[in-house]
Amino acid sequence: MAGPTFWNAAVLSTIGLLMGLYVAWRLFWPLRLPVWAKALLSLLLVGLAVQLRIVATFWGTMASPEIPKMAIAVLATGSTAVLLLALAMLLFDAGLLAARVLRLPRAVSALRTPLLRPLAAGAAFLLSAYGVSQGMAVPKPRQVEVSIKDLPAAFDGYRMLQLTDIHASRLLTGDWVRQVVAESNALKPDLIVITGDLIDGTVDARRDDFRPLGDLQAPDGVIAITGNHEYYAQYSDWMRAFRALRMQVLENSHTQVRRGDAALTIAGVTDPVAARYGLPLPDLQAALAGADPAAPVILLDHRPRNAADAAARGVKLQLSGHTHGGQIIGMDQLVKRANGGFVSGRYEVDGMILYVSNGAGLWAGFPARIGVPSEITLFTLRRAP
C-alpha cells in the first residue's frame, strides 16, 4: 500500500466517488424521507468518500494532508466506513440477485429487511473507528529468528531491528514516533535498519515529527533506504535531513558490518517511483558492486516484488515493507497481486529468505488496520546447520 501512487490520485478519487454514490443510493434513497433530506445525506456521504481529495485541494497534498490530527482521524473513520459499507452493500445485492434467480422468497425477504442496511452502516462505522485506532497504535515488537547459510560464527545471535513505513505525519506525530523509538531501543539491537517511507510531507512540516528518529541507538548504527514517500516532497532535502540524524542512507550502495575478521554486507536500493522525478532507479547490480564475495548479503528493498532477482544474485536475506500487510483482512489478496505475491511475513524465495513487515505506521490517507497489526521486527541471525 503505497499511499497516493498505489493508484494515481485521479483513480483514487473516482473510486471514492463511485463508492459514495452507490452507498448513498442503497442506504438513503429507500428511506421514507423528503427528497431534500436524502440529497443532503447523500452529499455528506459522498464528501466523506472523497474527503482526501477535498483536503488535498486546500490543505497539503494527497501524500500529506496538513490538517489537525483529530480531523484526519475523524475523516479517515468516515471514509473507511464508506469503503466497508460499499463492500457490505455489494454482498447484500449479490445475495439478493442470487436469491431471486434461485427463487428463495425467504432469503429475498431477509435481504430486503428495512433495518438491514442501517444496521450495516452502524457496524461499518464502529469497525472503521476500531481500525483507525489500531492504525494509530504504537506497534508491538515481533521477534523472528533467521538461519543463514555460511553466516560467520561471529554473527551467530546478531540482533538486527527493522523499522519500516513509519509515515511520520500530522496523524502520526513526533510523540508517536518517540514511542516507537523507545520501543525499538528497549530491544537493544546490534543494528537498526529502516526500509523506507519514514515520513510524509516536507522537511519544514515534519521537522518536529521526524527528529525523534535521531535517538535510535544501536552499536552498529542506523542504516536506511528510501521508500516511495520520500520522493513526494523534497527528496534531496530529506536525504540531508536523515544523514544529519546520523543515519547511513544507502542509495544503490552497500556497507559492511564487521565483527573482527568477519563481515556482513548490508545493501540498499532506491524505489521505482524515482523514475517520475528523474532520480536513479533501483539498481541491485550497482548496490552490490565491489561487495566482499565472502560476506553474506542482507538487502534492504522497500518493495518485495523483485525478491527473485535478489535471490538470483546471491542475497541471503531481503527485508521489505511497503504493503502494510494489506491493512485489512481480505484486502491482502489485492495488495499481494501488486507486489509479486508477497504481502506479509516470511517467504522462501529460491533459497533466499524474504521478510515483509506489516510496518510501524500508515499513510494518513487510509490509516486503518483490521486484523493486521503493526510491528517492530527484531531479527536474530543464526548460523544454518
Side-chain angles (χ1 to χ4, degrees):
M1 301 287 290
T5 60
F6 183 71
W7 292 298
N8 64 43
V11 174
L12 275 174
S13 299
T14 301
I15 291 173
L17 177 62
L18 292 175
M19 284 196 310
L21 290 171
Y22 171 62
V23 171
W25 171 54
R26 299 301 288 137
L27 180 63
F28 297 135
W29 289 90
L31 299 178
R32 294 180 179 178
L33 293 173
V35 172
W36 67 265
K38 296 179 184 180
L40 179 59
L41 289 171
S42 298
L43 183 63
L44 291 173
L45 189 141
V46 170
L48 271 179
V50 297
Q51 56 87 14
L52 185 59
R53 166 53 71 189
I54 296 171
V55 170
T57 301
F58 300 101
W59 306 282
T61 65
M62 291 282 282
S64 180
E66 299 294 340
I67 58 175
K69 176 177 180 175
M70 286 310 299
I72 295 175
V74 170
L75 291 173
T77 298
S79 58
T80 303
V82 173
L83 167 64
L84 296 175
L85 193 51
L87 295 175
M89 296 294 189
L90 282 171
L91 288 175
F92 293 159
D93 288 344
L96 186 59
L97 177 62
R100 283 173 171 165
V101 169
L102 297 174
R103 297 182 179 180
L104 303 172
R106 290 185 179 178
V108 170
S109 179
L111 289 167
R112 294 186 65 182
T113 301
L115 284 178
L116 179 63
R117 283 165 176 76
L119 286 173
F125 180 80
L126 292 175
L127 189 57
S128 175
Y130 167 79
V132 172
S133 72
Q134 293 303 294
M136 296 169 62
V138 176
K140 299 300 182 185
R142 174 179 291 182
Q143 303 209 23
V144 179
E145 193 165 286
V146 176
S147 295
I148 296 178
K149 183 181 179 182
D150 300 325
L151 181 74
F155 285 96
D156 189 37
Y158 191 77
R159 292 159 61 85
M160 181 171 57
L161 184 140
Q162 180 194 13
L163 288 172
T164 193
D165 298 275
I166 296 167
H167 289 286
S169 65
R170 287 293 294 271
L171 181 69
L172 301 178
T173 63
D175 289 339
W176 180 89
V177 175
R178 195 170 290 108
Q179 293 179 72
V180 172
V181 168
E183 289 274 3
S184 300
N185 288 341
L187 295 171
K188 300 188 182 304
D190 297 302
L191 171 69
I192 296 173
V193 297
I194 307 178
T195 50
D197 282 6
L198 288 76
I199 49 79
D200 286 324
T202 65
V203 174
D204 284 342
R206 295 284 80 78
R207 193 169 299 281
D208 294 333
D209 300 318
F210 79 88
R211 188 178 290 124
L213 293 173
D215 295 328
L216 287 168
Q217 297 175 1
D220 291 323
V222 179
I223 299 173
I225 61 166
T226 59
N228 49 307
H229 278 241
E230 275 72 36
Y231 292 85
Y232 299 152
Q234 303 175 331
Y235 177 88
S236 297
D237 290 346
W238 275 119
M239 295 306 100
R240 287 191 290 270
F242 295 152
R243 288 175 173 128
L245 294 180
R246 302 186 304 278
M247 294 181 191
Q248 184 173 5
V249 185
L250 301 179
E251 300 174 87
N252 295 328
S253 57
H254 70 269
T255 188
Q256 274 197 341
V257 177
R258 302 197 67 86
R259 289 288 184 272
D261 294 333
L264 284 179
T265 294
I266 312 294
V269 293
T270 58
D271 189 85
V273 81
R276 301 184 184 187
Y277 302 91
L279 293 167
L281 289 168
D283 188 338
L284 183 55
Q285 182 174 346
L288 296 177
D292 181 356
V297 176
I298 297 173
L299 174 65
L300 312 180
D301 187 344
H302 181 62
R303 306 189 193 221
R305 68 186 183 198
N306 293 323
D309 295 339
R313 290 185 177 274
V315 172
K316 300 297 185 183
L317 171 65
Q318 176 177 323
L319 303 182
S320 297
H322 185 64
T323 66
H324 302 168
Q327 295 189 215
I328 296 175
I329 290 176
M331 204 165 75
D332 59 321
Q333 298 304 309
L334 292 175
V335 174
K336 74 178 185 181
R337 290 173 183 266
N339 290 279
F342 309 114
V343 66
S344 177
R346 182 180 186 141
Y347 301 87
E348 178 114 4
V349 183
D350 299 332
M352 179 191 79
I353 296 170
L354 165 68
Y355 189 87
V356 185
S357 170
N358 289 348
L362 289 174
W363 168 52
F366 181 43
R369 289 187 181 274
I370 301 174
V372 183
S374 56
E375 65 178 274
I376 296 167
T377 320
L378 181 67
F379 297 92
T380 301
L381 306 187
R382 294 298 181 191
R383 184 177 172 89

